[in-house]
Amino acid sequence: MQIRLENIESQKAQEIGDLIRSYNRSKREKAESEPLNLYVEDDKGELMAGLVAETFGNWLEIEYLFVKEEFRGQGIGSQLLQQAESEAKKKNCRYVFVNTYQFQAPNFYQKQGYKEVFTLTDYPYTGQRHYYQKDL
């Protein structure tokens, strides 16, 4: 047996991820997982904003919510979030989960009714990462 260190992304890292996902599926309760992605484009098809998420059992898990700076403050992020929540409810989701850095959108999520459940401090050195959830 030998332990080998790699400081690069590799096929082995993907293989480890596949192995843990397979193990988790064999042990946890059955739950459907489906992407739920929303995009806002201008008349030319250029991306203005978007939300990348997944429904998983009772949960909507938001991975990314982004609005280009020149379009912020116009309610686009709120519309995306509301539409994602509405779609998740149609899929029988009861909860939603998201995390954000202190410089991103903690106040935005709080205004949308999200409750903070956990904060990492000194992340990665001096910042904070906030974790929120909301009942749908």
Side-chain angles (χ1 to χ4, degrees):
M1 177 176 83
Q2 67 177 0
I3 296 176
R4 182 167 43 100
L5 171 66
E6 285 186 348
N7 290 319
I8 59 170
E9 290 190 31
S10 70
Q11 183 61 35
K12 294 275 187 210
Q14 180 64 44
E15 188 177 338
I16 297 273
D18 292 343
L19 288 167
I20 192 66
R21 282 187 288 278
S22 177
Y23 175 80
N24 290 350
R25 279 191 297 274
S26 76
K27 300 296 180 189
R28 70 164 200 254
E29 62 188 321
K30 298 284 185 211
E32 294 296 317
S33 173
E34 184 176 302
L36 193 159
N37 304 319
L38 301 166
Y39 310 104
V40 179
E41 300 172 337
D42 67 14
D43 295 338
K44 297 176 185 173
E46 295 292 321
L47 190 63
M48 298 168 55
L51 182 144
V52 175
E54 173 183 35
T55 58
F56 181 63
N58 288 329
W59 288 86
L60 169 64
E61 297 182 21
I62 298 170
E63 186 170 358
Y64 306 116
L65 172 56
F66 182 78
V67 179
K68 286 187 174 180
E69 285 192 55
E70 62 265 33
F71 303 113
R72 292 180 186 166
Q74 301 177 30
I76 295 170
S78 298
Q79 287 179 304
L80 285 169
L81 195 56
Q82 290 166 6
Q83 187 168 348
E85 291 173 0
S86 178
E87 291 298 320
K89 286 180 190 177
K90 291 177 189 175
K91 298 176 184 298
N92 298 315
C93 290
R94 296 175 48 209
Y95 314 100
V96 60
F97 169 80
V98 66
N99 71 79
T100 186
Y101 290 98
Q102 83 280 359
F103 59 85
Q104 290 177 318
N107 293 333
F108 168 78
Y109 289 109
Q110 291 169 3
K111 288 178 186 175
Q112 303 297 321
Y114 285 69
K115 304 293 182 207
E116 189 168 15
V117 293
F118 180 72
T119 298
L120 285 176
T121 58
D122 300 325
Y123 185 84
Y125 294 109
T126 62
Q128 295 177 345
R129 191 167 182 177
H130 303 273
Y131 293 78
Y132 293 95
Q133 82 176 57
K134 178 180 175 181
D135 294 347
L136 294 177

